[in-house]
Amino acid sequence: PTTSKQHCFCLLFLVKPSVMTRYSVETESSSTSKSRGSHLRVHFKHTREITHHIKGMNVAKAIKFMDDVLAFKAVVPFVKYTGGIGRKAQGKQHKSPGNIGRWPVKATAVVKDLLINAIANAETKGLESETLYISHAQCNRAPPGRRRTYRAHGRIGKYASQPAHIEMILTSKSEGVEKNDDGEGEGATGKKITKRQAAKGRFVKVGGA
């Protein structure tokens, strides 16, 4: 029993169960590696154009492209957010519509770091970096950072940043299958067959003649 001079304090610690980060797509974990960043202080429109361009690339090619952008040897083609984007001669390299593009250095460096992180995660899993390609690269708009700027006549205007959420998934390419040269199997000779012919070839006759 406790008296008025004695108090018992119970400390209750609530431990939240660890929840894995959700990605917009579900993949097979054995042959993929992931990397993502949230509320990154880089322009959303810049990161969207970069991720859209490198999606589907081999990781070595993507890193080479971003290194060239940082060195101003290649331009990021802008295909969606094209308002006020100037024309560049380097836009012809990537067949950019209207040859428009920019060199978003800060956003390119952030995307490159995420890609390097995903490659490191893949090597930890035992995947070979030579077989990896960017199967998924997505950029979403994050909540804007709201600040203020001071205008003439005592007015106040908004001064917001446009951060981004970026997620990236690398997939290991499966080894190709050699072409069948023995002429067996449906369509092995290269001739087109109908569904009815294919079904007829699978039919096994049972019974007498």
Side-chain angles (χ1 to χ4, degrees):
T2 59
T3 63
S4 59
K5 294 182 180 180
Q6 295 176 345
H7 301 279
C8 293
F9 298 95
C10 296
L11 299 179
L12 180 62
F13 295 94
L14 298 178
V15 180
K16 294 183 178 180
S18 59
V19 180
M20 295 185 65
T21 306
R22 292 182 59 184
Y23 284 75
S24 60
V25 294
E26 295 182 1
T27 58
E28 185 180 351
S29 60
S30 61
S31 61
T32 60
S33 66
K34 302 177 181 179
S35 178
R36 67 172 293 155
S38 300
H39 303 280
L40 301 175
R41 284 297 301 273
V42 287
H43 288 303
F44 159 73
K45 294 182 180 181
H46 290 175
T47 52
R48 186 270 168 194
E49 299 293 350
I50 296 171
T51 53
H52 177 266
H53 185 67
I54 66 174
K55 182 179 179 181
M57 281 189 183
N58 181 278
V59 292
K61 183 179 179 181
I63 290 179
K64 174 67 166 54
F65 166 73
M66 287 186 281
D67 286 338
D68 290 342
V69 172
L70 294 175
F72 296 91
K73 295 180 180 178
V75 73
V76 176
F78 277 55
V79 296
K80 183 175 182 180
Y81 300 106
T82 57
I85 308 298
R87 299 176 183 270
K88 307 292 188 299
Q90 293 177 356
K92 300 177 183 179
Q93 299 174 2
H94 308 290
K95 297 181 179 180
S96 175
N99 298 334
I100 60 176
R102 279 181 177 175
W103 299 279
V105 173
K106 184 177 179 181
T108 302
V110 170
V111 175
K112 180 185 174 184
D113 288 343
L114 283 176
L115 179 57
I116 292 175
N117 187 14
I119 295 173
N121 294 339
E123 292 176 348
T124 303
K125 284 187 172 183
L127 301 176
E128 296 182 1
S129 60
E130 292 79 7
T131 62
L132 295 175
Y133 74 99
I134 305 173
S135 60
H136 173 74
Q138 181 173 313
C139 178
N140 295 326
R141 193 188 295 271
R146 301 183 182 276
R147 291 181 292 170
R148 62 170 60 179
T149 184
Y150 301 94
R151 312 299 297 272
H153 310 292
R155 293 174 300 167
I156 290 177
K158 71 172 186 177
Y159 204 72
S161 62
Q162 301 296 330
H165 306 311
I166 306 174
E167 62 182 41
M168 196 175 299
I169 298 178
L170 308 182
T171 305
S172 179
K173 288 185 178 180
S174 58
E175 297 181 358
V177 180
E178 296 183 359
K179 184 178 179 181
N180 186 6
D181 296 330
D182 56 4
E184 297 180 357
E186 298 172 2
T189 58
K191 297 180 182 179
K192 291 185 178 180
I193 57 177
T194 63
K195 291 183 178 180
R196 186 171 183 176
Q197 290 173 337
K200 190 175 181 181
R202 291 193 297 267
F203 179 74
V204 178
K205 189 175 181 180
V206 180

